[in-house]
Amino acid sequence: MSTTEAVMSSGAAVVRRPRRVRMAWFLVCLGILALLVVASIAIGTRTVPVSSILSALGGSDETLDEAVIQVRIPRTVLAIIAGAALAVSGAVFQGVTRNPLADPGILGINMGASLAVVIGLAYFGMSNPNSQIWVAISGAALSAIFVYAVGSLGRGGPTPLKLALAGAATSAALISFVTAVILPRGDIAENVQSWQIGGVGGATFERIWQMLPFIGVGLAICFLSAKSLNSLALGDDVAAGLGEKVAVARGMASLGAVMLAGAATAICGPIGFVGLVVPHLCRLLVGPDHRWLLPFTALTGASLLLAADVVGRIIARPAEIEVGIVTAFIGAPFFIYIVRRQKVRAL
């Protein structure tokens, strides 16, 4: 029996989906993403006629309407990239820890990246986005290691609820540290507080190009780890029996997930619950095989964050609600539902 077949036959797995069903869902998800791209460009606090949208897409920015569209385009691209990165990061963390509650926000990883960036801004004057991304990834990695170590203490090892509690406690502590850092610094407090909410407003192609190498490497590591994640789903002993180097596989997959969460947080701020909700939805659509799950998760995560951004522009006109607030309204009830499930110990 192959590793993938073994994953499909395990008691914790979802029923395997035929290839044609997966391809059908892929086309559906792709169509939804395309519609959301159109909505993101066309919808905002200002109503823009179709003629201005088409001319702006052609590169013109002579009128105010065309200039508005030129601002929305990088915002749309950033939402797609950040949503995909956060969703894949969550799926990988869930696979590595076999924890249905795993999410970069819930595990304190986003706040670790956030604190590192704030310290860099406040004490080192770090204004270069490239440097901020490196610092954010380092902070995310340290936070992930700390939460996993604390959640592994005691009997039973790193159970889902212990990791969630350790992550929640760590996030609360890190939020307090962030507040302590920015309170004396009135020169950066306003910008940092806005960034801390999590959003994609103010996106520029310059910043997107700076984050793309990190996102690309992180996605590549995660996708290459798909087979190993299938093995880890069977348990460490079985994975080792299948020839998998468990510690190396877990470390490499976690590295990719940390890079994705850290880079997205550095540019967008800490956006929560995308990595929690999306992987669970995608497992229902395409099953637990990570070779299919991760690409679908990236596509669906991009759609979710893009939809959250569009909704935030509509419901608060003429103002906007940042995507971090919208995703919290979506994800918090889902988190409570997962916690209350009887089979919360493993995927």
Side-chain angles (χ1 to χ4, degrees), residues 39 81 83 139 214 225:
I81 295 172
F214 299 92
S225 299

Side-chain angles (χ1 to χ4, degrees), residues 58-343:
S60 176
D61 59 354
E62 297 177 357
T63 68
L64 179 58
D65 287 339
E66 291 170 348
V68 168
I69 298 301
Q70 291 292 352
V71 171
R72 290 179 188 171
I73 292 173
R75 179 173 183 160
T76 300
V77 174
L78 179 59
I80 292 172
I81 295 172
L86 292 170
V88 171
S89 179
V92 170
F93 278 125
Q94 289 174 14
V96 165
T97 62
R98 301 185 69 197
N99 177 5
L101 301 176
D103 166 81
I106 293 172
L107 294 180
I109 294 167
N110 286 352
M111 285 310 305
S114 178
L115 177 61
V117 171
V118 170
I119 290 175
L121 289 171
Y123 296 114
F124 302 99
M126 190 177 298
S127 58
N128 185 288
N130 193 64
S131 300
Q132 291 175 7
I133 294 172
W134 277 111
V135 168
I137 291 173
S138 300
L142 291 174
S143 182
I145 293 170
F146 178 78
V147 169
Y148 190 82
V150 172
S152 300
L153 297 175
R155 297 178 60 183
T159 63
L161 289 178
K162 285 168 62 179
L163 286 173
L165 291 173
T170 301
S171 291
L174 294 178
I175 291 172
S176 299
F177 288 142
V178 169
T179 303
V181 170
I182 65 174
L183 275 179
R185 296 295 306 272
D187 55 328
I188 66 170
E190 183 176 351
N191 290 335
V192 170
Q193 287 173 348
S194 176
W195 172 79
Q196 278 289 108
I197 297 174
V200 294
T204 63
F205 280 117
E206 180 182 1
R207 304 199 77 185
I208 291 172
W209 280 114
Q210 288 174 322
M211 74 182 290
L212 271 182
F214 299 92
I215 298 295
V217 172
L219 287 174
I221 293 174
C222 291
F223 290 159
L224 291 173
S225 299
K227 183 179 178 181
S228 298
L229 291 171
N230 285 341
S231 299
L232 292 176
L234 303 171
D236 291 357
D237 292 338
V238 176
L242 292 170
E244 200 70 57
K245 295 181 179 179
V246 174
V248 174
R250 182 171 282 121
M252 287 301 297
S254 298
L255 174 63
V258 164
M259 289 187 68
L260 293 176
T265 301
I267 302 300
C268 303
I271 299 174
F273 295 110
V274 175
L276 174 69
V277 174
V278 173
H280 285 281
L281 173 62
C282 290
R283 285 189 189 92
L284 295 176
L285 299 179
V286 300
D289 185 353
H290 286 84
R291 295 177 302 177
W292 285 88
L293 178 64
L294 295 184
F296 267 86
T297 299
L299 192 61
T300 309
S303 298
L304 176 62
L305 201 63
L306 203 54
D309 187 37
V310 173
V311 169
R313 299 183 219 172
I314 294 174
I315 63 177
R317 281 181 171 179
E320 296 182 1
I321 297 178
E322 297 287 1
V323 293
I325 298 175
V326 179
T327 57
F329 274 108
I330 297 172
F334 189 82
F335 174 71
I336 295 171
Y337 164 73
I338 294 295
V339 170
R340 291 179 62 87
R341 287 179 58 187
Q342 293 182 352
K343 296 181 180 180

